[in-house]
Amino acid sequence: MIIAFLSLIILTISLIGYSFFVKYVFLNQEKKSIENYDFILGVLLIGTLSIFLNFFFKLSYFFEGLILIGFLLYLISRFTYKNNIEYLSLFLILFLFTFFTYDNGLTYDSPLYHQQILKWQSDNKIIFGLINLESRYAMVSFWHSFLAIFSRNLFTFNPAYLFGLIPFALLCNSSLVKKNELIADHYLFFSIIALLSFSVIHPFKDGIILNHLGSPETDIINIVFFIFTFYFFLKFAETKEVSSLIYIILFSIVAMLSKITYLHLLLLIIYCLIISPNLLLLIKLQIVKNYMIYFLIFIASVVWLVKSLIVSGCFVFPIYFTCLDVSWGDINLTKYHLLETKSWSRDTDLRMNFGNFKYTLYSFDWLMPWITKYLLKTSILQGLLLSFLILFISKFIRKSVQNKKIWIKSNINFFIYLVYFPLSLLLFMQSPEVRYAHGLIISIIAYNLLLSYKSLFNSRILFNNKSKKIFIFSLLILLCLKNFTNFELLFENHKDQYDHSNIQLIGKINNYEIYKPDYSTNKSVFCFDFKKICVYKNIIEGGKDYYAIPYIEKPVEILKVNSYLFVIKK
């Protein structure tokens, strides 16, 4: 555990170094300081570089150099910018997160395809038509691209799997910095309290959210991106600061490129532009003064789209109308993947109707079973319903509350409760799997509880810096006590060792060995981080051996053209 923690400190320092570089070169701001939330700048730069470099090289070449350059940039930042990050509390929070998540296993999707996605980027330059090996391998996430450049078997663990702990630590630490008494600041604190409290009271280890930490997945990290987006949205609504709008765009773009289910964040950007007192002046200030950061965001978006086109044949996989007629694409597989995902999400936990598209997609027969067996029985959704009940009761008790400090401005809450939340939840119902909306749900709960608290007490919130520290560290310590057996692992190395014994050779395609888990045994049926080509269907012969695909899949051909691998259907 100690080695893993020290590795995370090095990664944190390196990330802050790149964040400083972006802020110094790309952002033109009067306030020359580094904040906890500036890590998003480092994520944006490294993720963009990772995608671009992978067009020409395998990413494992750059691990050591990337860390070293980031460390040097951090040292330069100490003499150039004011550093508002409280490192003592940050590293203490990071250690506590490391402690109580240290024995977390991989989530289901990570050994299924997340590890393989990282492997393909780390060990190979970009592959044309990766979708034809396995449709899930074509899911392009900006966060995965960011992680891939850090993917390396270091000592006995892969630091990329633990990297997700750093943004969560920075999120908690950001609430401990002295700030103005803004609704946004209190929302940030309430979000952290809601997240940690849910994990403390959940009976299954650390709950369905923090149990995912330690896996190279893309669902949980978007909680951090969403909370910061909504934080800056509230801050902009109160202050109209141009810098807040910049960070709204930064966090929302990275969130959307990491998981397209967060497209609803565009509504927050649009609304901020609408409520700006002088829209033309704001746009002029944004473009002229900070054109460099928008250029970086544009480049990040372009390389992401190009990468998606190369691996799947679609600009935005699995949105099939964005697909082009290219030899390495498969629009039928793209369409089926989208339908399969929606069908899976709309079924109950027993998955009795998964794949029954007539039931889950072309009727509303799925809705009532989903409500009774999923919505009302899933803990985080129960918390969401409870927060609305508390809000309603608090407003009923205090009908006369009309304090603008509580409501910011009535039109803001009108937009939040009657436009943004309903539209976001409507989008969520297209694929109502709770992990696709954890950030949204936690934020709704936190905002409901914040307004309830203000309504009931009708006074300035009595949470100063000291009380915030007490609350946050108390919850983190409770999580550590909940996982007290991890004390035995304090000086043990994190062992990322996976059983590949059930992965069998099924044949060759042009001298490329093809492996597949053996489903006839009781052993694991995952590819994990297996280094050679690992698939879940017989791509050599084709057929219909993968779930209930409603069409015959063609065999696959693997060719090397100008040093690039092309995986195409015959």
Side-chain angles (χ1 to χ4, degrees), residues 10-136:
I10 294 172
L11 292 174
T12 302
I13 290 173
S14 182
L15 178 61
I16 293 172
Y18 285 102
S19 302
F20 153 74
F21 175 78
V22 175
K23 198 162 192 178
Y24 183 80
V25 175
F26 293 89
L27 266 178
N28 186 357
Q29 292 185 328
E30 295 179 1
K31 187 179 179 182
K32 305 295 185 182
S33 63
I34 299 296
E35 310 291 341
N36 287 280
Y37 51 75
D38 282 327
F39 79 90
I40 194 64
L41 301 172
V43 171
L44 180 68
L45 177 63
I46 296 171
T48 304
L49 283 174
S50 178
I51 296 175
F52 180 76
L53 290 172
N54 197 223
F55 289 156
F56 309 101
F57 310 99
K58 61 181 183 180
L59 295 179
S60 59
Y61 290 148
F62 304 99
F63 177 80
E64 291 84 0
L66 185 79
I67 299 296
L68 179 60
I69 293 173
F71 197 82
L72 292 175
L73 288 171
Y74 170 79
L75 293 178
I76 295 172
S77 74
R78 300 295 292 179
F79 298 100
T80 310
Y81 272 25
K82 180 182 177 182
N83 206 310
N84 288 332
I85 299 175
E86 295 184 6
Y87 286 96
L88 181 60
S89 60
L90 173 62
F91 292 144
L92 179 56
I93 292 170
L94 186 58
F95 174 76
L96 295 175
F97 266 98
T98 305
F99 181 89
F100 70 76
T101 63
Y102 196 68
D103 61 339
N104 282 359
L106 293 176
T107 60
Y108 181 87
D109 285 349
S110 288
L112 183 66
Y113 66 95
H114 293 157
Q115 289 178 293
Q116 283 292 304
I117 288 176
L118 295 188
K119 176 210 73 175
W120 281 107
Q121 297 177 71
S122 178
D123 297 347
N124 306 270
K125 62 181 176 182
I126 197 165
I127 309 294
F128 285 76
L130 202 56
I131 183 177
N132 294 311
L133 294 181
E134 162 59 43
S135 61
R136 294 174 179 84

Side-chain angles (χ1 to χ4, degrees), residues 104 195 198-213 220 379 438 479 482-483:
N104 282 359
L195 176 64
F198 173 76
S199 301
V200 168
I201 64 177
H202 199 282
F204 178 51
K205 203 174 179 298
D206 306 319
I208 58 174
I209 296 177
L210 296 188
N211 278 348
H212 289 247
L213 288 176
I220 305 306
S379 52
H438 272 140
L479 282 168
K482 195 176 177 182
N483 295 271

Side-chain angles (χ1 to χ4, degrees), residues 26 242 246 279-295:
F26 293 89
V242 173
I246 292 174
L279 179 58
L280 292 178
L281 178 60
L282 177 66
I283 294 175
K284 183 178 178 180
L285 286 172
Q286 288 276 12
I287 295 176
V288 174
K289 191 176 180 180
N290 291 291
Y291 71 94
M292 289 289 287
I293 192 66
Y294 291 106
F295 179 72

Side-chain angles (χ1 to χ4, degrees), residues 26 28 94 96 128 146 154 165 302 324 360 397 497 518 533:
F26 293 89
N28 186 357
L94 186 58
L96 295 175
F128 285 76
F146 170 82
L154 188 67
L165 275 65
V302 169
L324 298 183
T360 55
I397 293 173
Q497 297 177 356
D518 185 357
I533 299 175

